[in-house]
Amino acid sequence: MTKTCVITGATSGLGRATAVMLAGQGGDLILVGRNQALGERVAALCRRRNPGARAEFLRADLSSQADVRALAAAISARRGHIDVLINNAGARYDTYGESPEGIERTFAGNHLGHFLLTHLLLPQLALATPGRVVTVGSVAHAGADLTRGWVQRGEGYDRRVAYANSKLANIVFARELAARTDPARVTSNAVDPGIVFSRFARNNGLKSWLKHVMAHAIRRELISTRAGADTIVYLTSAAALSLTGRYLRKRMESSPSSLAIDPEIGLQLWNLSLNLTGVRTQ
Ligand SMILES: NC(=O)c1ccc[n+]([C@@H]2O[C@H](COP(=O)([O-])OP(=O)(O)OC[C@H]3O[C@@H](n4cnc5c(N)ncnc54)[C@H](OP(=O)(O)O)[C@@H]3O)[C@@H](O)[C@H]2O)c1
């Protein structure tokens, strides 16, 4: 049966690879990203890869809550139900910056945008029985440091901590959503894709990207985007239908850091995210 899938960050890397793999299965894809030209190219590639697949691109910056609200409205106007939402978009920034709402951009884009988008799409996801939410985390979450809170301020900005905190937030969010949602309606899992050869860090310039790639290449850690996307695609399959609240790496359950499974941390992130996005839950 054709699956309707929304994939954020589909213009490059893991999101692009996931889109092409799901197109191969005949998916009905809504691709999301910031770059219209690139997004349309990936949508065309998906349609070429499988003429039976449907793919269209919608532009949105996940760090802008206005963009995310407009995106959710556009998706809801186009599709009655959504089978899978893949919260994949993510970036690390070498310098401090803020979202239009004045929130540090790593946390705003990597976590808050997905928190908001997921909540806005929950009614459509629940119609899929169950709808699935797959959120892309990272092994980098282990470097999170919450001593100065979840969200960094301009002074003393540390790009690694900002990124690690946002990835911890992805994993905690996936778990909390599962705990708060009837699994017959919506399931929620997180993925550690491994260290992937992609355009990650390219936004900071060629030198920064090369440094990032070389550091991992020397340690022989880099895998292809297709290999990294395998677990994401697996979570959309029939075999993974009943999984919820899990953190998966290479299709197997993996153990995140102790912070990621701390219920107090979960409650703290949930309340902060509600507060910063204005989401209301019953
Ligand atoms: N690369 C790795 O080794 C690795 C390891 C673990 C986890 N991850 C995670 O995997 C996910 C995908 O990363 P990747 O390696 O595939 O990197 P990538 O090639 O840079 O792709 C990232 C995608 O996210 C999009 N994106 C970033 N910020 C966005 C925003 N605010 N709004 C909309 N789209 C945004 C990018 O679009 P633009 O072209 O507009 O920037 C791009 O399409 C991220 O969540 C990352 O944290 C990556």
Side-chain angles (χ1 to χ4, degrees):
M1 202 178 74
T2 303
K3 275 199 206 85
T4 301
C5 306
V6 177
I7 307 168
T8 70
T11 55
S12 166
L14 285 167
R16 184 182 185 275
T18 301
V20 172
M21 288 159 83
L22 289 176
Q25 299 177 7
D28 169 17
L29 311 178
I30 295 182
L31 313 179
V32 177
R34 293 182 287 199
N35 186 320
Q36 186 81 32
L38 261 185
E40 282 173 8
R41 244 185 277 161
V42 177
L45 172 67
C46 290
R47 292 191 300 267
R48 267 202 317 279
R49 191 57 57 94
N50 182 357
R54 203 171 153 198
E56 68 176 306
F57 177 75
L58 294 177
R59 205 212 74 84
D61 180 343
L62 268 293
S63 70
S64 158
Q65 294 184 22
D67 269 23
V68 173
R69 288 181 189 281
L71 170 68
I75 294 171
S76 303
R78 280 169 165 75
R79 304 288 190 277
H81 78 279
I82 297 164
D83 294 286
V84 186
L85 167 63
I86 299 174
N87 289 325
N88 163 73
R92 188 178 71 192
Y93 297 94
D94 282 355
T95 56
Y96 181 82
E98 292 182 353
S99 70
E101 287 78 21
I103 302 162
E104 191 282 314
R105 60 185 167 176
T106 322
F107 191 77
N110 296 6
H111 167 62
L112 284 179
H114 289 122
F115 180 89
L116 179 57
L117 182 64
T118 304
H119 279 92
L120 295 173
L121 296 181
L122 276 179
Q124 273 81 21
L125 283 159
L127 292 176
T129 56
R132 309 186 204 196
V133 181
V134 179
T135 303
V136 179
S138 168
V139 68
H141 81 276
D145 180 355
L146 301 178
T147 50
R148 290 169 62 205
W150 282 93
V151 194
Q152 294 215 15
R153 310 255 176 257
E155 207 172 309
Y157 174 72
D158 182 327
R159 67 183 180 139
R160 284 189 196 282
V161 171
Y163 180 67
N165 286 5
S166 77
K167 291 287 117 184
L168 175 65
N170 289 148
I171 298 164
V172 172
F173 164 62
R175 196 179 170 84
E176 284 294 311
L177 180 66
R180 291 158 193 269
T181 314
D182 175 358
R185 288 163 66 80
V186 176
T187 65
S188 167
N189 295 287
V191 172
D192 167 7
I195 308 293
V196 176
F197 181 59
S198 69
R199 285 178 61 84
F200 184 80
R202 185 71 184 80
N203 57 305
N204 299 307
L206 184 62
K207 207 170 141 193
S208 187
W209 176 72
L210 282 173
K211 217 172 132 189
H212 164 78
V213 169
M214 290 309 291
H216 291 296
I218 286 165
R219 295 202 288 267
R220 296 178 178 272
E221 290 171 335
L222 286 179
I223 59 171
S224 70
T225 52
R226 203 181 157 83
D230 176 72
T231 303
I232 301 173
V233 174
Y234 169 70
L235 277 170
T236 73
S237 71
L241 188 66
S242 60
L243 294 183
T244 196
R246 312 289 179 90
Y247 180 54
L248 263 61
R249 177 181 160 81
K250 293 186 179 169
R251 299 192 179 198
M252 307 284 281
E253 183 129 27
S254 179
S255 300
S257 68
S258 55
L259 282 182
I261 54 171
D262 181 331
E264 272 181 38
I265 295 289
L267 184 63
Q268 186 190 83
L269 177 75
W270 197 263
N271 288 336
L272 175 70
S273 307
L274 289 177
N275 203 4
L276 291 175
T277 56
V279 166
R280 300 275 166 270
T281 52
Q282 295 91 12

